[in-house]
């Protein structure tokens, strides 16, 4: 092995390309959804328990913090969906080049921002 290779261990100095940023955001949204499943299942269980528990759960959604968390979950779901569609298109051979990957990442980020804004409008 060549030990004269340059090493850069300071990750803050590395400028990632746009497709890498879109991919990292896709993974983060997946982790958020994985954690959110527990909360969503608890809410589903509470809503199906009785009419009173459903009314309490519905009243809880008037709280600003609950709305913010709901917006975060819906935003993660929306971005994950948009990035997942991009990955499915790439699996079909569309946008596999370097420039195609950059264009796909740009479209994914713009569509993700649109979905996040629409989720905010829907929740609030």
């Amino acid at each position: 092995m060549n030990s004269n290779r340059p090493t850069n261990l300071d990750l803050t100095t590395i400028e990632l390309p746009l497709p890498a940023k879109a991919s990292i955001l896709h993974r983060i949204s997946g982790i958020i959804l994985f954690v959110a499943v527990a909360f969503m299942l608890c809410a589903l269980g509470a809503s199906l328990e009785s009419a009173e528990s459903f009314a309490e759960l519905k009243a809880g959604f008037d709280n600003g913090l609950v709305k913010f968390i709901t917006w975060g979950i819906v935003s993660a779901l929306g971005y994950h969906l948009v990035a997942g569609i991009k990955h499915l298109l790439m699996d079909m051979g569309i946008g596999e080049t370097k420039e195609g990957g950059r264009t796909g990442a740009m479209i994914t980020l713009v569509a993700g921002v649109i979905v996040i804004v629409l989720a905010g409008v829907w929740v609030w």
Side-chain angles (χ1 to χ4, degrees):
M1 283 200 128
N2 184 4
S3 63
N4 295 331
R5 295 183 344 182
T7 57
N8 183 4
L9 300 178
D10 186 9
L11 296 178
T12 61
T13 63
I14 298 173
E15 180 62 32
L16 294 174
L18 196 59
K21 292 176 183 176
S23 178
I24 290 170
L25 287 174
H26 184 227
R27 293 167 193 231
I28 290 171
S29 68
I31 292 169
I32 291 170
L33 289 175
F34 179 76
V35 172
V37 165
F39 296 107
M40 292 186 291
L41 286 175
C42 287
L44 177 65
S47 71
L48 297 175
E49 228 173 75
S50 66
E52 293 81 24
S53 65
F54 177 78
E56 289 175 11
L57 185 68
K58 188 176 176 184
F61 276 91
D62 291 334
N63 185 348
L65 179 63
V66 175
K67 282 186 178 185
F68 181 74
I69 292 170
T70 304
W71 173 68
I73 292 171
V74 173
S75 297
L77 181 63
Y79 181 80
H80 199 74
L81 177 72
V82 169
I85 291 171
K86 180 193 78 133
H87 282 288
L88 288 174
L89 290 173
M90 289 178 65
D91 287 343
M92 291 188 294
I94 300 170
E96 287 184 328
T97 63
K98 187 175 182 179
E99 187 57 39
R102 181 166 170 70
T103 303
M106 184 74 72
I107 292 170
T108 300
L109 291 173
V110 169
V113 167
I114 291 170
V115 167
I116 289 169
V117 168
L118 289 176
V121 170
W122 182 60
V123 169
W124 274 287

